[in-house]
Amino acid sequence: TVLVAFLPTFANGFVIWDDDLNFTNNTAYRGLSPAHLSWMFTTLIGGHYQPLSWLTLGLDYTLWGMDARGYHATSLLLHAATAVCCYLLIVALLEAATFPLGTAPDARRGARDAHRHGDPTRLHAAAAFGALVFALHPLRVESVAWVSERRDVLSGLFLLLTVLAYVRAHAPAEAAAARRRWMLASLACFVASLLSKAWGMTLPLVLLVLDRYPLRRLARGEPVRTILVEKLPYAVLAAAAAATALAAQASMPEMRSLTQHGVVARLAQAAYGLVFYPSKTLLPLDLTPAYLLETPLDPSAPRYVVSALVVIALTVAAILARRRAPWALAALACYAIVVSPVLGLAQTGPQLVADRYSYLATIPFAVLAAAGFGIASVGRERLVALAAGATLVVLATLTFQQTRIWHDSLTLWTHTLAIDPTNHVAATNRGWARQLDGDLAGAIEDYTRALASNPRYALAYYDRGSARDERGDLDDAVADYSAAIELDPRDGRPFNNRGYVRERQGDLTAAVADYRRALAVAAPEWPHRPLVEGNLARAGAALAASRRR
């Protein structure tokens, strides 16, 4: 079912949305030699430390070369495996909830009573429904159909295995030796998840929530000290991953300071994000790869105020109902904990929210969907089965359509502009796609459109400068490169390009100065450094020769 819903991904290629940075313009990952492996385990390219993800991508290259279909096949198979793990985890969590589906909670009645009442079939059917809701939901498309997000599906698979092994370790009937083996397996999977992407860094807090419900370890008489000490290895690994992730993000020029994006604005953004993912889970329409963060953000805008009120109301309601409905507080807490690193409290990039951030965060909703299916189906099996089947068909259809949007860069960004005509990132990316196709007039039109929406977007000036340069409008190209430099003086590319234009205009002194400035502001590992050094050597020699004459 999952493979059918995502079938269009096999016709998709790489897109201008980090795929160019990571794959089409990057030779460092292309292979599994010692040099390639060294790069994979040391690079922070794109603001992520993800050596295991790079390892799978390097394997893809050895198998498929630059045929994107092979990369998509790997991501889809990993997602399907994650769906299976989601099913197994939901089964384990529902069994641990200590009451048969469709009856009132009773801590004295557990899985044994469920088996006696013939509920295992309903439980497994419910778990299958919940796992399919997770796997077939169109919010998953960005993580699965975008090759750069391999890290999502790989880290998600290992993180679910981490939690599954942890839950199995704490099953009431588990022997001590088996419990130790499960815990070691859980820690090993956690390491693998963090080496694929660091977003599992909040897992120790999630495990504490699960200890409370549905594992009920305190109610079973386990000492608090034992429960806390048990989390230390997870906490150490999570802290190391968090520190690495922070260093990786800090290396990105898009990371915003508190001066650029204040505390109140970040809290408003976080509240909006907390409401956005559940709302898009219920109504997954108008999904795009770029929901842009306005600058400056106005916390008093209606959508932020309403979001904050909803968050407060749901939190208060869940706390008040914690005894009668402990599942509600546990699900909301797990959701908020998992999504917290990507709510904008540490803001990097132009996004307000992103579909990909829902990949793990909304799994608690899949568990609730499974539980709701099981309870509702008591005495109404056929009706509930029909409703569940219809729901899955609708989700699969939306996912099929959403996957086709990622076919190529022009399709992707044209779709985004249809939803948000003022999206300057989408306009710039579509402009670059048009420029690569040789449509310079269309590219310049898109870059100009982007600058009309955001006059301070340096990349649009840089790209428009390159299009004008390619068209032969050298004076206009210099003006655009200069504007890009003024807005982002840390980027060496416009310095180099302006230097090359000035060199062709005969201004060798200015060209040499630009090349030197490009090398001065760029990082030592800048991939364009050899090219710029060559440009500087050529222009410097020409300048010296002209002076001798």
Side-chain angles (χ1 to χ4, degrees), residues 97-113:
T98 68
F99 64 94
L101 291 173
T103 68
D106 186 343
R108 296 168 299 177
R109 301 172 63 192
R112 182 182 67 255
D113 292 327

Side-chain angles (χ1 to χ4, degrees), residues 496-526:
N496 174 68
N497 286 20
R498 188 176 69 178
Y500 188 60
V501 173
R502 285 175 165 174
E503 186 179 352
R504 283 179 289 155
Q505 288 178 321
D507 190 351
L508 294 175
T509 301
V512 167
D514 275 342
Y515 293 142
R516 286 175 175 167
R517 186 61 179 162
L519 294 171
V521 301
E525 66 274 13
W526 188 38

Side-chain angles (χ1 to χ4, degrees), residues 143-182:
S143 294
V144 178
W146 181 15
V147 180
S148 284
E149 286 306 303
R150 170 68 57 80
R151 52 185 172 254
D152 284 4
V153 291
L154 188 63
S155 63
L157 173 61
F158 283 121
L159 199 64
L160 286 185
L161 287 171
T162 300
V163 180
L164 179 60
Y166 181 87
V167 174
R168 291 283 175 83
H170 295 291
E174 204 65 63
R179 174 175 293 193
R180 285 193 294 271
R181 288 194 296 270
W182 279 118

Side-chain angles (χ1 to χ4, degrees), residues 4 49 54 56-57 69 74 83 110 215-216 224 231 278 329 339 355 373 387 447 450 482 500:
V4 172
Y49 184 67
W54 282 119
T56 66
L57 292 161
R69 291 174 296 180
T74 303
L215 298 180
R216 300 182 187 271
V224 174
K231 302 300 180 295
L329 183 58
V339 80
D355 293 350
F373 174 96
Y447 299 143
S482 299
Y500 188 60

Side-chain angles (χ1 to χ4, degrees), residues 96-98 166 205-220 224 227 231 322-323 326-327 329-330 333-334:
T98 68
Y166 181 87
L205 297 176
V206 172
L207 296 182
L208 287 173
V209 174
L210 296 181
D211 286 337
R212 180 75 176 181
Y213 185 87
L215 298 180
R216 300 182 187 271
R217 295 178 64 189
L218 291 174
R220 297 196 327 240
V224 174
I227 293 174
K231 302 300 180 295
R322 65 188 182 279
R323 298 190 184 279
W327 49 268
L329 183 58
C334 286

Side-chain angles (χ1 to χ4, degrees), residues 44-246:
L44 299 177
I45 186 173
H48 295 279
Y49 184 67
Q50 49 177 26
L52 286 191
S53 295
W54 282 119
L55 192 62
T56 66
L57 292 161
L59 179 60
D60 276 337
Y61 179 78
T62 63
L63 293 174
W64 318 106
M66 292 305 294
D67 187 342
R69 291 174 296 180
Y71 296 73
H72 287 304
T74 303
S75 293
L76 183 51
L77 288 175
L78 287 170
H79 177 59
T82 303
V84 173
C85 289
C86 185
Y87 162 77
L88 295 173
L89 178 59
I90 292 174
V91 169
L93 291 174
L94 294 183
E95 286 180 340
T98 68
F99 64 94
L101 291 173
T103 68
D106 186 343
R108 296 168 299 177
R109 301 172 63 192
R112 182 182 67 255
D113 292 327
H115 283 276
R116 189 188 323 148
H117 285 81
D119 285 331
T121 300
R122 185 179 300 119
L123 183 147
H124 287 278
F129 173 70
L132 286 172
V133 167
F134 160 77
L136 297 177
H137 201 284
L139 280 176
R140 305 292 89 78
V141 170
E142 185 166 284
S143 294
V144 178
W146 181 15
V147 180
S148 284
E149 286 306 303
R150 170 68 57 80
R151 52 185 172 254
D152 284 4
V153 291
L154 188 63
S155 63
L157 173 61
F158 283 121
L159 199 64
L160 286 185
L161 287 171
T162 300
V163 180
L164 179 60
Y166 181 87
V167 174
R168 291 283 175 83
H170 295 291
E174 204 65 63
R179 174 175 293 193
R180 285 193 294 271
R181 288 194 296 270
W182 279 118
M183 287 299 291
L184 287 174
S186 177
L187 285 168
C189 290
F190 189 42
V191 171
S193 177
L194 294 175
L195 290 178
S196 304
K197 183 180 179 178
W199 70 354
M201 66 181 76
T202 59
L203 180 69
L205 297 176
V206 172
L207 296 182
L208 287 173
V209 174
L210 296 181
D211 286 337
R212 180 75 176 181
Y213 185 87
L215 298 180
R216 300 182 187 271
R217 295 178 64 189
L218 291 174
R220 297 196 327 240
E222 293 193 48
V224 174
R225 177 182 174 83
T226 300
I227 293 174
L228 293 177
V229 169
E230 178 189 78
K231 302 300 180 295
L232 285 178
Y234 294 97
V236 171
L237 293 171
T244 304
L246 187 61

